[in-house]
Amino acid sequence: MFNTPLAATGVLAMGNWIKDDFPDLLWPALVLAEQGNDSFRQFVKWQKAVQDGLAHHGEVRWVAETLDGRLSHLAALAIRFPDASEIAAEEANRHGLLSRSVRSALASYPYLPAPWLIGDIEIASPKQSDLELIHDALLSVLQDGHREALLKCLRTWSAVNAGTFSADARTIELLKDYPGNLANRAASDSMVRASWGAHKAILQVDDPSHFDEATKWARVFWGANSMTSGCMRKGDIDSPDDGSTESTEGEPDGQAPSAARSDQTEPTSMPVGGENLRGFTMDVMSSFVEALETAPAHLYENERQEVISGLVSRAGRDVMAVLGAPDLWCVEHGAHIGRMLVETKIYLHWMAQQDPAIYRQFQEYGAGKAKLYARISDELPDDVRTEGFRESIDELQRLSRNHDVLDHRTVDTRDTFAEGKSIRAMAEEAGLLDFYRQAYSLSSGVVHSEWWSVETHATESCVNVLHGMHLIPSLSLNPGGNVELATSWVEQFYSLVRTGLVILGTDEDAVSAAFAWVNADDDSSAPSDGAGPAS
């Protein structure tokens, strides 16, 4: 495992403040979205007024910390001081921070912390106007770093109002005329956002459960959003950048309609430049077979020719099959082809460096696996055995090359035929490590469904910001038809064919005769210059 120096310190902790903290700051975010950034000043005045109203409790610092805009902190304030809810709500109304629209949006959520903020409005499913305001509040802090900073600066100004704030000279200099000083605004915004995160971390070090109530409320917030507004794809809206919610009236459970099928219903047609790839590959395969069958063969020790010709043949068959389906000419659906071609090349070169017994070892390993698969299949109960099931087991048993009476076949359960040696180790020993890293690793990641591949190819972002930027299954198919990629497969297969013939020491005259058509001056069937004879 590799860690960067910063990550290795153990100090770095990556967080998602939108998922964890935005719901707790929903009230001031709604006000900012409705009234604009200048409403920040009314919040600062509200903080001062509430602090003055609660001064008789004698807990100035604690009160200041709870007036940071967080709903969970307001709830804690009202629990500790019974008169706090009335004072906070009265001052909020006096400073214009609890409009009907804001209270209605807050009333869209059950289990709202500090429910006394919504006054006489009953908690109910959100109206379209509520969803739009909540959407605007969330989108604005996502897109506007200054508004995010204003939201996160509420804690700082509360401490400043209470006279409990302390910081270094540079921080004080940036804050003293914030946010009015436009020249320093960018630096001030960055400082505010950074110090907000640092302060939160300090609170969690002192009390790991400090934000438990905020986290519980965040789960309610996002869970409610999932039920009151549906997922949206880019194809569902006019503009990819417009994440506005749409009316869900008439839809079951308030869910917005989404696409029911892929936007691609017809197979990809044969792309220009790809018409001759399959024919060329079939000709190469035929010439490979012709060269082997017209050249002298080592029929006493035939394992080497069987293995090499079998591997090349398997590669050719896969490539020819895929070349008939342009939908597969892409990294997502064709990764198994690239991976198989690289793996075959590594096998050929690595086995060529070993004792010739490696070819029989390769066959023995496969025969043992056939025996193992036959035994595993035979474990299935009778009620799931379809027609032809017995024949399939019999075929696997035949391929195990085991004796009907004497059970002599050894089953090697190690990862590879080379006594468990990894394909990477083989590549390194064969001088193909860079080839493995640059061509095999990525394709293997796609084949094995590593998350980066699944995220790239099989998902897309839900553009409903009320869902918190989650990923949803993609309904669009990869168009395929990448002629360059398909051509690279053909060229790699041609290279495998020539490599196999060289390793086998196939008679040069037989090879030249079989592949004479490739070198013909008037030849136009090759896919590109790169598909010509390889050394």
Side-chain angles (χ1 to χ4, degrees), residues 263-398:
D263 56 8
Q264 287 184 293
T265 56
E266 297 296 330
T268 301
S269 58
M270 184 61 66
V272 176
E275 306 90 344
N276 299 325
L277 293 177
R278 194 164 191 248
F280 176 82
T281 304
M282 295 177 71
D283 289 342
V284 170
M285 184 68 181
S286 297
S287 296
F288 173 70
V289 173
E290 177 186 339
L292 290 179
E293 294 183 354
T294 58
H298 300 282
L299 297 181
Y300 181 74
E301 296 178 342
N302 53 357
E303 292 86 1
R304 185 176 69 156
Q305 181 161 321
E306 289 175 348
V307 169
I308 292 176
S309 62
L311 287 172
V312 172
S313 174
R314 179 266 173 132
R317 291 166 61 83
D318 277 1
V319 172
M320 285 186 284
V322 170
L323 291 177
D327 278 327
L328 303 181
W329 298 7
C330 60
V331 173
E332 179 185 5
H333 304 308
H336 64 289
I337 297 297
R339 183 178 187 271
M340 175 273 300
L341 289 167
V342 175
E343 186 175 73
T344 303
K345 181 171 184 175
I346 292 172
Y347 279 170
L348 294 182
H349 282 271
W350 184 80
M351 285 192 281
Q353 297 178 357
Q354 312 306 309
D355 186 277
I358 193 64
Y359 297 102
R360 182 167 184 79
Q361 183 175 318
F362 181 85
Q363 293 179 328
E364 295 282 335
Y365 179 84
K369 283 302 185 75
K371 175 183 175 180
L372 176 62
Y373 301 148
R375 296 290 175 84
I376 292 174
S377 299
D378 209 19
E379 294 173 357
L380 295 175
D382 292 337
D383 58 347
V384 299
R385 300 190 180 203
T386 59
E387 184 179 354
F389 183 85
R390 186 69 252 174
E391 288 80 0
S392 298
I393 294 180
D394 290 343
E395 178 64 9
L396 284 170
Q397 290 175 340
R398 182 189 71 80

Side-chain angles (χ1 to χ4, degrees), residues 33-355:
E34 182 186 52
Q35 302 181 22
N37 292 346
D38 283 344
S39 60
F40 168 80
R41 302 181 188 280
Q42 294 303 315
F43 260 104
V44 175
K45 294 178 181 178
W46 168 81
Q47 290 171 328
K48 179 61 175 173
V50 175
Q51 289 171 7
D52 291 343
L54 297 175
H56 61 281
H57 291 291
E59 296 193 37
V60 176
R61 182 179 294 276
W62 190 84
V63 170
E65 288 294 320
T66 59
L67 295 176
D68 57 355
R70 285 182 175 272
L71 292 169
S72 62
H73 285 174
L74 279 178
L77 180 67
I79 291 174
R80 188 158 181 173
F81 305 130
D83 58 338
S85 58
E86 182 178 352
I87 294 173
E90 182 181 338
E91 292 297 336
N93 279 307
R94 190 166 71 87
H95 287 86
L97 301 176
L98 284 176
S99 68
R100 181 80 183 181
S101 298
V102 168
R103 289 187 293 129
S104 179
L106 290 174
S108 301
Y109 297 96
Y111 310 111
L112 179 78
W116 37 266
L117 285 174
I118 65 176
D120 58 354
I121 298 180
E122 294 184 2
I123 293 179
S125 298
K127 302 183 293 294
Q128 183 63 23
S129 58
D130 298 328
L131 290 174
E132 289 175 354
L133 181 57
I134 299 167
H135 162 271
D136 291 344
L138 178 52
L139 189 63
S140 65
V141 296
L142 282 171
Q143 296 181 334
D144 188 342
H146 176 56
R147 180 163 291 187
E148 176 190 340
L150 290 178
L151 199 61
K152 292 180 175 180
C153 197
L154 289 174
R155 178 262 158 190
T156 298
W157 280 117
S158 182
V160 170
N161 281 331
T164 60
F165 181 77
S166 62
D168 59 74
R170 174 58 176 163
T171 299
I172 299 295
E173 182 67 22
L174 289 172
L175 283 176
K176 69 179 184 180
D177 50 6
Y178 179 77
N181 189 336
L182 298 181
N184 289 335
R185 176 174 289 182
S188 300
D189 285 344
S190 297
M191 181 275 298
V192 168
R193 294 192 297 264
S195 61
W196 181 89
H199 180 71
K200 180 184 176 183
I202 291 173
L203 293 177
Q204 289 178 302
V205 169
D206 293 339
D207 178 11
S209 63
H210 184 90
F211 292 100
D212 283 359
E213 292 303 314
T215 301
K216 291 178 183 178
W217 157 237
R219 293 183 183 278
V220 172
F221 176 84
W222 295 112
N225 287 346
S226 73
M227 294 185 289
T228 57
S229 63
C231 291
M232 299 175 66
R233 293 173 170 81
K234 288 185 178 181
D236 297 333
I237 54 179
D238 294 332
S239 170
D241 295 324
D242 179 12
S244 62
T245 56
E246 298 177 348
S247 175
T248 59
E249 293 182 7
E251 293 296 324
D253 300 324
Q255 294 293 318
S258 60
R261 58 179 174 80
S262 168
D263 56 8
Q264 287 184 293
T265 56
E266 297 296 330
T268 301
S269 58
M270 184 61 66
V272 176
E275 306 90 344
N276 299 325
L277 293 177
R278 194 164 191 248
F280 176 82
T281 304
M282 295 177 71
D283 289 342
V284 170
M285 184 68 181
S286 297
S287 296
F288 173 70
V289 173
E290 177 186 339
L292 290 179
E293 294 183 354
T294 58
H298 300 282
L299 297 181
Y300 181 74
E301 296 178 342
N302 53 357
E303 292 86 1
R304 185 176 69 156
Q305 181 161 321
E306 289 175 348
V307 169
I308 292 176
S309 62
L311 287 172
V312 172
S313 174
R314 179 266 173 132
R317 291 166 61 83
D318 277 1
V319 172
M320 285 186 284
V322 170
L323 291 177
D327 278 327
L328 303 181
W329 298 7
C330 60
V331 173
E332 179 185 5
H333 304 308
H336 64 289
I337 297 297
R339 183 178 187 271
M340 175 273 300
L341 289 167
V342 175
E343 186 175 73
T344 303
K345 181 171 184 175
I346 292 172
Y347 279 170
L348 294 182
H349 282 271
W350 184 80
M351 285 192 281
Q353 297 178 357
Q354 312 306 309
D355 186 277

